[in-house]
Amino acid sequence: MRKVKAIICLMLTWFLAAPPVGFAASHREAPITALDQKADITDFFAFVSYEDPTKVTFILNVDPFLEPGNGPNYFPFDDTILYSINIDNNNTALPAVQFQVQFTTTINAPGVFTGFVGAGAGINAPANSPPPVAPGTPIIPPAITALSGAGAAGLSLSQTYTVSMVQNGVTTPLTNSNAAPLYAVPANVGPRTMPNYPALAAQGIYTLNNGIKIFAGTVDDPFYIDLGATFDSLNFRTAAGGGVLSAAADANDNVNTASDTVSGYNVNTIAIQVPITMLTGTGTLLPSTSTAATIGAWGTTSRPRTTVRRAPLPSASSGSFSQIQRMGNPLINELIIGTGSKDTWSMSQPVNDSQFASFDLDPLLARVLNAIYGIAIPTPPRTDLLPLVTYAPPIAAPGTPAGPIADMLRLNTGVAPTPMASRKRLGLLAGDAAGFPNGRRVSDDVADIALRAVAGILAGAQFNYRLGDGVNTNDVPYQETFPYVAWAQSGRQRRHIDPGEAGCTMGTGAACPTN
Amino acid sequence: MFSLLCAAQNPDPRAAQDYIEKAYTLCQRAREGAKPALYTEASGALDRALELFPGNYEALKLRVAVLLGLHDFSEALRRAKELNKKVPDDIAVRGYLVDAEMALGDYEEAEKEAQWILDLRRGSTLGFEKAAALREAFGDPEGAIEFYNEALLRTPAGEKAERAGLMTRNARLQMAAENAAKAKELLEMALAADPGSQDALAGLAALAASQGNYTEAVGLSRKRVEQSPGAGNTYDLAVMLERSGQAAEAEKEYLAFETMARAEMGKTLNSNRELVFYYADYRKDAAQALAIAAKEAEKRHDSATLDAWAWALYRSGKVAEGRTQMDRALAPGVRDKGYLCHALQIATTMHDLAAIERFGNACSDSRAITK
């Protein structure tokens, strides 16, 4: 017991010098999701679609650090999880619109030892094939070029999914416009099995009723961060300014001065593009100055729950699912909520977030930054962080009802998307009005933004420090069209760009610094 | 700030930890051996630990367990709520909340907390155990058995007292469902796992009595008294002796019980419920029974307390009031045959034919089952 006590004290001491858990994105940030990887939400994005400003794209990423070569079963979605994207459009922090996704796994070839197999036009048994398999008998199916039908014989395992919209308590199934099943895109096994993976993955983009687009499958993890340095008690690389970036490094959104720990890893994604008219409370497109233009959004994962009472006795639960995790802003549970409350936070509804207000008003991370870097931080209570958890300018138009304190991504649907050439990794902090914390795009550097927000940048220019980890961009380019994330990295060809390795920026340029 | 908390607030952390460990051991012994005096001793150890290390979370948690052991449910609830606010992810504290709320009769809140445990730690032993107790309180013995079995499957073989406890609770439900063989099997397994289990011995005694084997029931009850000579055990022995026809021996034990029980009447850990039935049924002193029952009902409104109050009211001739309290006792859905037997007798006096039909033959063997 003494040993345990000593360890606890040591751990508490450590917390003084480091954020309690995951940083910015949410890989394994709470005890319950550390034990339930399939339900672990890594990131949640919501932004006005680049190529169609009449639509908003939501992306829910789950199941972190998928090593692309990790066969033979790779990374199916969990059939027992209810994946949900929730939208508040009346400033109540309650879901006015929900999109719910559930998967069904089919084993197409139960005798085959791997989930995905294929090569060329197929390989048959050779002339010296021992009996009873006759020469010429098909052994390896043709390469996988389709999600179903011809070209899909090598999909020993496949997943279909359903998507529903819930509004005013009414659940409406959303079906493929051609009535065909919706298939999840499998992992990118490698060039022999899947010779044209981009073409295969693109088949997983479906147009549903009402102009909604959806995609589900394994993709490149769009998040980027020097996770190793972060967890080493904020031991950022000297080459990256040791946590305070040089002006030049900070200004260059396209060059990394530290290694991206998430490089070469995949993640499972559910992306859905929805007409704004289906999202706003008025059912119309609105200018950014409208008090009804800003929506709140968050993702959740839920599993069937065990209830105290059995059916048909009255149930204690409001539904048959128990929420495992939620994510709105990419920093709240990770950087603000204490470890002893993280699971309760994960399982609570945003509308009830006032119970966690004590964490928001004096975040420990701010004091950590103050202690490590000696920087001045705002004096608590930290009301400067309110725009992240209420409807407030500069995201929402002046006059927008603030609503309760609730962790949701706020997105002003009236703000036009920023063209790629003008997009800033620091989003709103760099004057890019369409970036985090006005929603969140896949390219937004939420690690650096979060650090700066916690350090007090929203409280005034005197708290503006160039805090950052030195990772300014992803290891592979994003797409400019739906679903915006890069396709899954190849199991055979993937590369993790580690400290000391050449090509720190997208595999090119200078080596990643070791120290 | 946490490093300061660890180092500066505690001039002698080792000594504090020693007291916490001592308190923990005392609590375990108190629970396993049904020796409530050890809870008081544990409380003293915790006082010392908290002097040495104010605010120590482990000590504060153990304090709640001690309060529950001493049946100070209101104070346990208050302190558990404080801890729950600090660390809402701690399911052990939520378990304490369930225990306190159930004991005080707030089944709705208890259910919410138990559901939190089931949601927070899916498949946890604690979640199944607390939910099983609630299912029992809600009149779903089959569902309770299911969850006790789930909890047992998840409890390591080395945790013998915990396993024995789960098997004993399961056995009581089996007994109520008239699965005597299964009940016996479970109780014997419980005793094998934890030879000192008072609850298992009590269960075996009740089972023997329910089968008319009073000699064995008396023997087992006497063994309990020898192991732990408290008021509750003495009362059970007296009842068995009375039912076995040993009136003189029963009278002797009843008197011993009365002396012990009256001495602890004002304490939180008492035998007031037994005292109510003793006065109401054995001494035919309904006024005494009612006074004690009414006082208990001021403090808690769980089904057991309300049942005792209803019975005391009935025995005092206040049949309608007794019926009101009995309805409250049964409102959560509990199907304990002892309570139903009381309800049947009240309904019979009131010529309530519908209720008589509803409670059926509940009085066939009430005393053996009521606990």
Side-chain angles (χ1 to χ4, degrees), chain B residues 136-197:
Chain B
E136 202 176 338
F138 295 149
D140 180 13
E142 298 84 6
I145 287 171
E146 177 197 348
F147 273 5
Y148 281 132
N149 283 334
E150 292 290 341
L152 187 61
L153 281 171
R154 288 164 170 76
T155 305
E159 294 182 12
K160 292 177 179 176
E162 285 73 14
R163 289 180 64 83
L166 290 166
M167 287 188 271
T168 303
R169 290 157 82 178
N170 192 341
R172 282 199 297 110
L173 292 166
Q174 300 285 359
M175 213 186 310
E178 297 180 359
N179 297 329
K182 183 67 184 171
K184 188 159 197 239
E185 181 192 337
L186 284 164
L187 289 165
E188 285 173 348
M189 283 166 61
L191 264 187
D194 180 11
S197 171

Side-chain angles (χ1 to χ4, degrees), chain A residues 47-116:
Chain A
F47 52 94
V48 176
S49 303
Y50 307 160
E51 79 282 33
D52 185 351
T54 68
K55 293 175 179 167
V56 165
T57 297
F58 302 98
I59 300 175
L60 178 67
N61 284 355
V62 296
D63 206 351
F65 284 103
L66 304 180
E67 160 58 46
N70 194 2
N73 293 307
Y74 296 91
F75 321 109
F77 287 91
D78 189 329
D79 291 5
T80 63
I81 292 176
L82 175 70
Y83 303 86
S84 185
I85 290 163
N86 313 281
I87 296 107
D88 164 34
N89 61 18
N90 53 16
N91 312 94
T92 60
L94 296 168
V97 184
Q98 291 174 293
F99 296 97
Q100 298 184 336
V101 177
Q102 286 182 279
F103 293 84
T104 302
T105 303
T106 304
I107 306 296
N108 302 306
V112 174
F113 65 87
T114 181
F116 314 109

Side-chain angles (χ1 to χ4, degrees), chain A residues 390-462:
Chain A
T390 61
Y391 289 93
I395 301 166
T400 302
I405 286 180
D407 176 40
M408 302 181 289
L409 264 182
R410 266 76 176 183
L411 174 67
N412 189 326
T413 59
V415 174
T418 305
M420 184 185 179
S422 312
R423 220 171 282 155
K424 303 289 185 191
R425 83 176 207 286
L426 295 176
L428 205 51
L429 298 189
D432 177 356
F436 180 75
N438 178 22
R440 181 185 171 191
R441 303 167 300 200
V442 289
S443 59
D444 289 334
D445 189 349
V446 291
D448 288 8
I449 298 170
L451 270 180
R452 296 176 199 204
V454 171
I457 192 169
L458 300 174
Q462 70 272 33

Side-chain angles (χ1 to χ4, degrees), chain A residues 135-362:
Chain A
T137 304
I139 299 294
I140 298 174
I144 298 168
T145 57
L147 298 176
S148 63
L155 290 171
S156 309
L157 180 154
S158 63
Q159 287 195 300
T160 56
Y161 61 97
T162 59
V163 55
S164 304
M165 183 169 73
V166 184
Q167 210 166 7
N168 301 320
V170 178
T171 302
T172 308
L174 301 176
T175 52
N176 195 348
S177 55
N178 66 6
L182 306 172
Y183 285 92
V185 171
N188 182 355
V189 173
R192 170 180 268 187
T193 311
M194 298 171 174
N196 188 349
Y197 187 79
L200 176 70
Q203 293 173 44
I205 299 172
Y206 297 100
T207 302
L208 310 178
N209 313 338
N210 306 319
I212 292 173
K213 274 187 185 173
I214 194 162
F215 172 93
T218 304
V219 297
D220 165 67
D221 190 333
F223 184 59
Y224 52 88
I225 187 173
D226 186 350
L227 204 58
T230 302
F231 278 115
D232 187 25
S233 304
L234 300 186
N235 186 12
F236 292 117
R237 317 280 165 184
T238 309
V244 182
L245 303 177
S246 69
D250 194 35
N252 194 339
D253 286 3
N254 301 313
V255 172
N256 290 337
T257 51
S259 53
D260 173 11
T261 313
V262 193
S263 64
Y265 285 101
N266 290 329
V267 74
N268 278 344
T269 200
I270 296 168
I272 185 165
Q273 190 180 69
V274 186
I276 290 172
T277 51
M278 294 176 69
L279 299 173
T280 56
T282 60
T284 59
L285 289 169
L286 297 163
S288 62
T289 51
S290 167
T291 56
T294 302
I295 59 173
W298 70 103
T300 54
T301 50
S302 305
R303 287 186 179 280
R305 85 190 324 177
T306 302
T307 53
V308 171
R309 292 182 192 254
R310 289 193 303 170
L313 294 167
S315 171
S317 60
S318 57
S320 56
F321 285 87
S322 165
Q323 186 173 300
I324 303 297
Q325 205 197 5
R326 63 173 162 133
M327 189 172 188
N329 280 295
L331 58 88
I332 300 290
N333 202 13
E334 293 73 33
L335 302 185
I336 305 295
I337 304 299
T339 304
S341 303
K342 282 181 184 295
D343 288 338
T344 301
W345 188 94
S346 290
M347 302 178 74
S348 298
Q349 303 306 312
V351 70
N352 296 323
D353 277 350
S354 61
Q355 66 183 302
F356 305 104
S358 60
F359 291 109
D360 301 328
L361 297 173
D362 187 7

